[in-house]
Amino acid sequence: MLTNLCRSRQHDDGIPPGEFDDRGFGWWALEIRETGEFIGRVGLDEVDEDMPFAGVDIGWRLMRSGWGHGYVTEAALACLAFGFEALGPAEVVASTTVNNLRSRAVMRRIGMNRDPADDFEDPSVPEGLLRQCVLYRVPAETLTACTTRRDTFRTTVCR
């Protein structure tokens, strides 16, 4: 894919400036390498304290124009490789609403697995369709097989 991961570019999404430098991880802007067009973000974050699980969370937000091109899958694999190498967690988690089938497909493509026993209601969301969520996990040892081809990624992490 022809994408860049750039943490230096400013795309205000409520993420405090300097967060990446303070913690050593955070969110990257996702842009199409050929055009420089901003299409979203991908990154790592700490799971909020009010959630029924803990750890390092991977997430993404993508503009509709970026859907269906594999950008998030590629960027998420690069992000996981960074996370496991730089931070060393035993696992990384991801959650989404039950009906977000596109994100769930990305989670499976990057090697994550779901145990229905881990599904939960997001306490920060009002009652309704968006409250019921699924949780996916990828342990460090599982990801090693997925990232051994890192040299073939066409994404770059910009500083």
Side-chain angles (χ1 to χ4, degrees):
M1 298 305 135
L2 302 175
T3 56
N4 285 325
L5 292 173
C6 301
R7 71 178 177 93
S8 58
R9 186 156 174 181
Q10 294 299 316
H11 296 289
D12 186 13
D13 199 4
I15 300 166
E19 180 179 87
F20 201 107
D21 292 328
D22 293 344
R23 298 187 311 173
F25 63 99
W27 293 91
W28 287 278
L30 183 59
E31 14 177 85
I32 298 174
R33 185 177 294 159
E34 257 180 20
T35 64
E37 174 192 358
F38 171 74
I39 57 170
R41 65 184 178 113
V42 63
L44 300 168
D45 207 348
E46 296 170 340
V47 174
D48 291 338
E49 291 178 9
D50 61 343
M51 299 303 271
F53 53 93
V56 176
D57 177 59
I58 186 170
W60 44 84
R61 303 286 183 273
L62 194 64
M63 296 171 65
R64 192 174 292 269
S65 65
W67 291 9
H69 301 284
Y71 297 142
V72 168
T73 300
E74 179 180 315
L77 282 169
C79 190
L80 282 176
F82 167 83
F84 281 118
E85 288 176 14
L87 307 174
E91 69 175 3
V92 171
V93 299
S95 63
T96 190
T97 61
V98 170
N99 293 322
N100 188 343
L101 302 181
R102 285 182 175 269
S103 280
R104 292 176 66 176
V106 170
M107 291 171 194
R108 288 189 302 274
R109 280 195 298 272
I110 64 174
M112 301 187 101
N113 292 298
R114 173 180 168 235
D115 179 347
D118 291 334
D119 292 354
F120 65 99
E121 288 191 359
D122 186 336
S124 67
V125 176
E127 289 292 333
L129 292 175
L130 300 179
R131 189 170 181 136
Q132 188 61 41
C133 294
V134 293
L135 181 69
Y136 283 73
R137 301 173 186 270
V138 61
E141 62 272 7
T142 299
L143 188 71
T144 304
C146 296
T147 59
T148 54
R149 324 183 306 263
R150 264 187 327 191
D151 57 323
T152 65
F153 290 173
R154 288 174 269 166
T155 55
T156 57
V157 177
C158 307
R159 295 211 174 228

